Amino acid sequence: MLALNIVLYALLGTSLAFAIVELGLSAFLTSAYTGTREVATWSSYSGYSYRTVNLKAPAILAFLVFASCWTILVTVAALVLPWHFAKKGFVSAKLNTILASCFVGVYFVTMVFWLACFADLASLLGGGTSESSYFNAILAFGVLLWLLFVALVVFTALAMCGVMVSDWAGYQSLRKDKGAEGPQASGHAHDVPMTEQPNA
C-alpha cells in the first residue's frame, strides 16, 4: 500500500516539476519567435533596403505551451483529489470507480499529448538534435513527460485490477471481494466505504 502511494507521489511530483520547466522553455521560445523583425533585402536597382516582417512561432511551440498548462492542471488535481477524499475518510466504491476511470482517461490523453509534442518537434528538427539548447531541452523534457504518463497509466491500471494495493481514492481495486458479507454481498457495494474490511 505504502509503496504504490510513494510511487504515485514521485511520478506526479516529477511530472509537475517537469511540466513547469517545459512551460517556461516553450513559452520563452514562443515569445522569441513571435513578433516583427527588420529584414535587409538586396535589390540591384536600389541596393539594400529594410522591410518589416511579421514572424509566427511554429504551431508545435503553441501546442507545447498548452500541453504544459494541461499537465500542470492534471497533476495538481491528481495530487489534491485523493488527498481530499482520504481526509474525509469515506470513499465509496462508486466514487472510486468514477475517479479511477477519470484518472486513466486523463493520464492517457496527457500521454498522447506528449507523444504528439515530442514526435512533431523531432520531425521539425529533422529527426536529430538542434543547435539550440532550448529545443534540445524541450525535446528531452517532452520524452520524459511522455514516459512519466505511460508509467502513471500502467500503475493506475494495476491498482484498478488489484495487483497493487492503495488506499487512495481512484487507485483502489475495482474487484469485488467474494467473501464479503452484508451490503457488498447483496450487490450494494456502492453504498459502503471501501476502507472497511470484512471480519474473518
Side-chain angles (χ1 to χ4, degrees), residues 4-5 8 12 78-79 82 96 99-100 103 107 152 155-160 164-174:
L4 181 59
N5 292 351
L8 290 172
L12 289 168
L79 285 167
N96 182 61
L99 280 177
F103 285 156
Y107 292 160
L152 280 167
F155 280 113
T156 306
L158 289 175
M160 287 171 59
M164 300 189 80
V165 181
S166 175
D167 58 349
W168 280 13
Y171 299 98
Q172 296 173 1
S173 176
L174 300 183

Side-chain angles (χ1 to χ4, degrees), residues 48-142:
Y48 282 105
S49 62
Y50 291 91
R51 63 187 177 98
T52 303
V53 176
N54 290 324
L55 297 176
K56 292 175 73 174
I60 185 58
L61 290 178
F63 187 68
L64 278 161
V65 171
F66 163 75
S68 301
C69 293
W70 168 271
T71 304
I72 290 169
L73 292 175
V74 164
T75 52
V76 167
L79 285 167
V80 169
L81 284 176
W83 172 80
H84 171 70
F85 288 116
K87 196 162 175 112
K88 283 176 123 179
F90 183 84
V91 180
S92 66
K94 186 173 186 179
L95 174 67
N96 182 61
T97 303
I98 291 169
L99 280 177
S101 303
C102 289
F103 285 156
V104 168
V106 169
Y107 292 160
F108 181 78
V109 168
T110 309
M111 178 188 73
V112 171
F113 282 169
W114 286 111
L115 177 64
C117 283
F118 87 77
D120 192 14
L121 188 59
S123 173
L124 185 70
L125 297 176
T129 58
S130 171
E131 293 179 4
S132 169
S133 57
Y134 290 107
F135 276 114
N136 294 335
I138 287 174
L139 186 61
F141 278 108

